[in-house]
Amino acid sequence: MRYDVVTIFPEYLEPLKLSLLGKAREKGLVDLHLHDLREYTFDRHRTVDDTPYGGGAGMVMKAEPWGLALDEVLAASPLNASEDSTEGAESEGTEPTAEPAADTRPLLIVPSPAGAVFDQAMAYELAEEKHIVFAPARYEGIDERVLDWAQESFRVMPVSLGDYVLYGGEVAVMAMIEAITRLIPGAMGNPASLEEESHTGGLLEYPVYTKPAVWRDREVPEVLLSGNHGAIARWRRDRQIERTLERRPDLLEAYPVEQWDKKDRRFLAERGVHFANPAKAAQKKAKKNPAPQADSEAQAAQPDTAQSNTVQPNTVQTQPES
């Protein structure tokens, strides 16, 4: 994976050289290139911003420094080599495949409050990329013409960390690079850690403990000391569900209903959460939307079942405790 980051504060990203991410760079799993946007200016003040057309508060980042920086990044993209080799194979008489060619343009991520919200699912998708370019803006943002122009050579993707505003996009870039890199094979010390962490399976992670067994009169849950692996697994699963219900009920509602086992359902029912039966929901849906009939008179004779209280299979209903 190659990362390019164009920024006016390249030193802001120095922490990316530390810890496991730094080791991933040493192993050659990731290739990080930082570009100082001010190096692509020509005035003595190395100006990268100007006042906005139409008036208003703040400054806007100028188009030309960004254009020159992205030109250089594009020229060094590792995807150029693969594209050249593909073109060479076609010129030698290879018959074109029936499937449309994959888009080999680098991915340009622009941190923006107006972008799609970054999450673990997106991190997994981005970990499959070969070249990601980050364009963290400052001030009021980048001249919009840069993003319009960039779509000719990049796949432009605005991305948000959440519903809040930062001084600039560098913090967002660091968070995304960390989240993406740890999913690249070989980047984690223990790959099994990825399987049980928060968001990977759709629920939050269970609480964890280590030695000593008693600390300041607080004891580790007894089940974790029992050696009963089945009981431990059940306890951890229950804690995942409980924690998700308390802190992120939205994740619980999005969790695939078919993945809840009987013990999960019982545990949730005790807390006022009940699920629709998928089979019954499907039957009611079939009655509500019967198959079309050739005879219009027979179709008109069908009973009106527009009114239904069916709960969708992927939803949960919470009821207050009595």
Side-chain angles (χ1 to χ4, degrees):
M1 167 76 81
R2 172 171 171 138
Y3 298 120
D4 282 272
V5 185
V6 181
T7 171
I8 60 174
F9 295 122
E11 62 274 16
Y12 210 111
L13 291 99
E14 286 297 311
L16 294 177
K17 298 179 181 179
L18 305 176
S19 189
L20 292 177
L21 202 151
K23 291 182 179 179
R25 294 182 64 189
E26 293 174 2
K27 293 178 182 178
L29 298 174
V30 296
D31 187 15
L32 176 64
H33 297 263
L34 304 180
H35 308 267
D36 187 344
L37 184 64
R38 296 190 188 278
E39 295 295 329
Y40 302 91
T41 60
F42 300 98
D43 65 306
R44 64 175 183 171
H45 298 293
R46 307 209 301 171
T47 307
V48 297
D49 61 304
D50 208 335
T51 55
Y53 278 122
M59 304 290 280
V60 177
M61 302 193 85
K62 295 165 63 71
E64 187 59 6
W66 277 103
L68 293 173
L70 293 175
D71 282 341
E72 183 173 300
V73 168
L74 185 64
S77 175
L79 296 179
N80 290 336
S82 60
E83 184 178 354
D84 292 341
S85 63
T86 303
E87 292 176 356
E90 292 178 355
S91 64
E92 293 174 5
T94 305
E95 294 184 2
T97 59
E99 297 181 0
D103 193 336
T104 59
R105 294 176 297 169
L107 180 63
L108 176 62
I109 293 181
V110 183
S112 167
V117 177
F118 183 78
D119 58 15
Q120 190 70 4
M122 185 185 293
Y124 270 102
E125 293 177 4
L126 296 178
E128 300 294 325
E129 297 285 338
K130 300 298 181 184
H131 185 197
I132 301 178
V133 183
F134 292 94
R138 287 266 161 174
Y139 316 120
E140 295 302 311
I142 303 171
D143 188 313
E144 189 68 20
R145 291 170 296 181
V146 174
L147 306 184
D148 294 339
W149 162 83
Q151 293 185 53
E152 299 175 6
S153 302
F154 298 87
R155 290 171 289 136
V156 180
M157 183 179 181
V159 178
S160 171
L161 279 192
D163 296 332
Y164 51 88
V165 181
L166 302 169
Y167 280 123
E170 286 79 9
V171 170
V173 169
M174 291 175 63
M176 285 187 275
I177 288 179
E178 277 216 8
I180 297 166
T181 300
R182 64 196 305 276
L183 300 177
I184 296 174
M188 283 290 289
N190 182 3
S193 299
L194 298 174
E195 299 175 4
E196 298 181 350
E197 62 190 3
S198 293
H199 302 293
T200 295
L203 302 176
L204 299 182
E205 190 174 7
Y206 50 78
V208 295
Y209 303 85
T210 188
K211 301 177 182 66
V214 180
W215 176 78
R216 297 189 180 183
D217 297 329
R218 289 170 171 79
E219 299 181 359
V220 171
E222 186 176 352
V223 65
L224 299 179
L225 307 177
S226 68
N228 184 332
H229 297 294
I232 292 173
R234 186 66 249 172
W235 181 88
R236 287 175 170 172
R237 175 70 172 177
D238 289 347
R239 299 291 78 72
Q240 277 190 287
I241 297 171
E242 186 175 59
R243 179 172 282 186
T244 306
L245 178 62
E246 292 175 354
R247 303 180 184 180
R248 292 292 305 276
D250 57 308
L251 296 179
L252 205 71
E253 293 177 4
Y255 194 79
V257 68
E258 65 274 7
Q259 294 188 24
W260 297 117
D261 61 27
K262 291 183 179 179
K263 292 182 179 179
D264 293 339
R265 291 171 181 269
R266 188 183 307 117
F267 183 81
L268 283 163
E270 292 172 354
R271 285 152 181 80
V273 181
H274 302 275
F275 296 85
N277 184 301
K280 290 183 178 179
Q283 291 175 359
K284 287 187 178 181
K285 184 176 181 180
K287 291 181 180 179
K288 180 180 178 182
N289 302 299
Q293 300 180 14
D295 188 350
S296 58
E297 293 182 359
Q299 198 171 23
Q302 292 294 322
D304 182 10
T305 57
Q307 301 298 323
S308 174
N309 295 321
T310 301
V311 178
Q312 295 299 319
N314 272 16
T315 62
V316 295
Q317 295 178 306
T318 57
Q319 298 178 353
E321 295 183 2
S322 57

